[in-house]
Amino acid sequence: MTTTQNREQQVVEGVAKGLYIGGSWVDAHDGGTFPVEDPATGNVLCEVADADSEDALRALTAAAGAQGDFAAMAPRERGEILRRAWQLMTERADDLALLMTLEMGKALAESKAEITYAADFLRWFAEEAVRIQGDYKVTANGLGRTWVIRQPVGPCVLITPWNFPLAMGTRKIGPAIAAGCTMVMKPAQLTPLSMNALAQILEEAGLPAGVLNIVTTSSSGSTVAPLLEDPRTRKVSFTGSTEVGRKLMQQASENLLRTSMELGGNAPFIVFEDADLDKAVEGAMIAKLRNIGESCVAANRFYVHESVADDFSSRLADRMGSLKVGRGTDEDVDLGPLIDEDQRGKVAELVDDAVAKGAKSLVGGGKMDGAGYFFEPTVLGGVTSDARLLKEEIFGPVAPVITFSSEDEAVASANDTEFGLVAYVFTEDLRRALRLVEKLETGMIGLNKGLVSNPAAPFGGVKASGFGREGGSEGINEYLEVKHIAVDL
Ligand code: NAP
């Protein structure tokens, strides 16, 4: 065994494989496990505990039992736990990044960037824990007082996707801890190891037993449903597809749960004739290829003014064509594999559909041979308006370019989608930029910038991209109830 293989094995061996319930790592009650795969090789890395509804309800019992004491813990103490966890994540970034690359596929440099981003949510919310605001006012008639306090919502069910195995978790766990909420977390089946490693770190940082409970499972629907029906659950926060978000909303409505929904995207990336094209191509590389294109904020449709479209497309094709695709753990690899064959098949289908309708491939265009779920970085020119990839999330390294001739046309095309998570706009004209940021129907905008994610900013969408905000000073409010106390003097 080589030194590299040795280290990979050690990192996987170092992670707990059980369910984390009430502060202990336990087997699923029926002893069931499921495999975790390396998407670069198709090899099984290890087995983890496979929870069912009985295990999930045990986890909820632990969360409900811990809620009272945790809500009463001093905010400073909750903040310090988060701060220590940030410190530990930062110190162990190399191992955490390797673990993430092994189960998710992205290149090591990208995994490291995610560890920093994920850890920063813990640091940010460590600072927010001591700033939960109340209010005290004289009533309009001067006779009474209105007094408003904010309290933890109570036990939360948190559900996260595989594409950012840690950051999507800390974006929920950080504010929940800061606010004083206990949790049952269900990570994605494809990437459970990173979340277990985070739980080990939070435990080491001093998080009391029962505050965070983790149920890994291969049957998410039947495991989560009883949690949403149980009156002890007070909130569900979900990050994932719009389709599953809709289902969870229906289930949550029975129990009238508070909900936060971070759902799918279909981001337009608009390049005007007055844009700085160097900046636009640089922004496109980030907005398209971060996380191998498997990101809710990935640029999905490139609307480029007809006068600069050829120049932009050929520069983007040159850059994308020169990337090194390979196993994320290998030196100098820029892009790893897609998460699995289903995802790769879907990307291939969308490209084939666009080409059948008239698009031309400027670079790439298909699956790569050999083991793993690799797909060529692809730029498509002359994409027609009926191509499916303009309506659906591609979730892969494919950039479709469509030309436009007027600002109104660009805005209308950009808004012609059920989604509304993020839009990217490249223009050097300040007045045009101001018009655009108001007209685009999205929760976030990258202005001459291909990256909007930042723990200090409110992340979230409108329309079918969901509601609620994670990060920023807004993020903690998702985990707080407002209580008004009326009193006359
Ligand atoms: P997904 O299929 O919706 O799954 C997300 C999570 O929900 C996983 O943990 C999944 O478990 C679980 N799940 C699936 N069906 C469920 C059910 N019936 N009841 C309870 N839980 C259920 O999404 P994905 O493929 O993992 O992630 C990609 C999607 O997430 C994309 O649409 C992307 O845009 C979106 N996303 C949005 C944001 C945002 O902030 N807006 C961020 C990242 C990703 P299993 O793993 O067992 O299926």
Side-chain angles (χ1 to χ4, degrees), residues 228 244-255 259 261:
L228 304 186
V244 173
R246 283 199 172 102
K247 262 191 223 163
L248 292 173
M249 285 283 295
Q250 278 171 359
Q251 289 174 269
S253 70
E254 280 301 307
N255 207 0
T259 49
M261 293 279 149

Side-chain angles (χ1 to χ4, degrees), residues 157-473:
V157 172
L158 311 178
I159 304 171
T160 52
W162 50 264
N163 61 343
F164 291 99
L166 273 183
M168 300 302 96
T170 55
R171 227 163 63 165
K172 300 184 192 303
I173 292 170
I177 290 177
C181 294
T182 61
M183 301 149 258
V184 178
M185 155 65 78
K186 194 215 77 67
Q189 181 187 346
L190 294 169
T191 56
L193 300 176
S194 297
M195 190 64 76
N196 283 1
L198 173 66
Q200 288 174 288
I201 283 177
L202 281 160
E203 185 176 30
E204 203 177 322
L207 193 68
V211 172
L212 171 66
N213 303 275
I214 299 193
V215 286
T216 48
T217 179
S218 66
S219 53
S220 50
S222 59
T223 301
V224 168
L227 296 179
L228 304 186
E229 285 159 17
D230 193 304
R232 294 173 296 175
T233 300
R234 295 297 167 82
K235 176 184 173 77
V236 57
S237 176
F238 172 72
T239 299
S241 62
T242 296
E243 186 192 349
V244 173
R246 283 199 172 102
K247 262 191 223 163
L248 292 173
M249 285 283 295
Q250 278 171 359
Q251 289 174 269
S253 70
E254 280 301 307
N255 207 0
L256 293 168
L257 290 180
R258 273 186 66 171
T259 49
S260 302
M261 293 279 149
E262 298 285 349
L263 308 179
N266 180 7
F269 186 105
I270 311 171
V271 183
F272 285 95
E273 63 276 28
D274 52 41
D276 174 335
L277 273 203
D278 289 337
K279 237 192 249 175
V281 172
E282 202 51 52
M285 292 295 288
I286 298 168
K288 181 69 258 180
L289 295 175
R290 176 168 172 250
N291 225 43
I292 324 160
E294 294 172 315
S295 160
C296 53
V297 286
N300 211 57
R301 303 168 285 152
F302 289 80
Y303 294 106
V304 187
H305 190 267
E306 56 194 6
S307 64
V308 293
D310 286 348
D311 195 5
F312 174 84
S313 307
S314 67
R315 285 159 77 167
L316 185 61
D318 284 350
R319 288 283 300 276
M320 283 178 61
S322 67
L323 294 174
K324 185 168 173 201
V325 181
R327 188 169 188 237
T329 49
D330 293 347
E331 286 275 309
D332 303 333
V333 159
D334 299 303
L335 279 195
L338 294 177
I339 189 73
D340 60 14
E341 188 50 42
D342 281 357
Q343 187 57 33
R344 184 165 75 152
K346 192 192 145 206
V347 175
E349 205 181 292
L350 290 175
V351 170
D352 292 348
D353 167 77
V355 170
K357 288 171 178 159
K360 296 268 172 299
S361 168
L362 304 178
V363 71
K367 295 180 183 181
M368 294 170 73
D369 295 336
Y373 312 114
F374 296 96
F375 198 92
E376 294 171 315
T378 300
V379 178
L380 298 176
V383 177
T384 54
S385 58
D386 56 346
R388 275 175 53 199
L389 45 51
L390 302 186
K391 299 275 174 221
E392 298 176 31
E393 241 184 337
I394 303 169
F395 245 53
V398 177
V401 179
I402 312 100
T403 57
F404 68 85
S405 52
S406 72
E407 185 179 309
D408 285 349
E409 186 191 347
V411 171
S413 302
N415 286 340
D416 183 20
T417 170
E418 66 166 327
F419 297 104
L421 192 57
V422 63
Y424 302 93
V425 178
F426 284 76
T427 175
E428 294 294 302
D429 177 340
L430 178 62
R431 292 173 62 211
R432 168 174 274 159
L434 294 176
R435 284 195 297 274
L436 264 282
V437 297
E438 290 186 13
K439 284 184 184 166
L440 290 169
E441 298 165 355
T442 57
M444 298 174 288
I445 291 184
L447 188 52
N448 293 318
K449 198 170 158 42
L451 182 70
V452 293
S453 307
N454 182 334
F459 188 106
V462 299
K463 295 160 74 178
S465 292
F467 46 80
R469 292 294 180 267
E470 293 191 322
S473 49

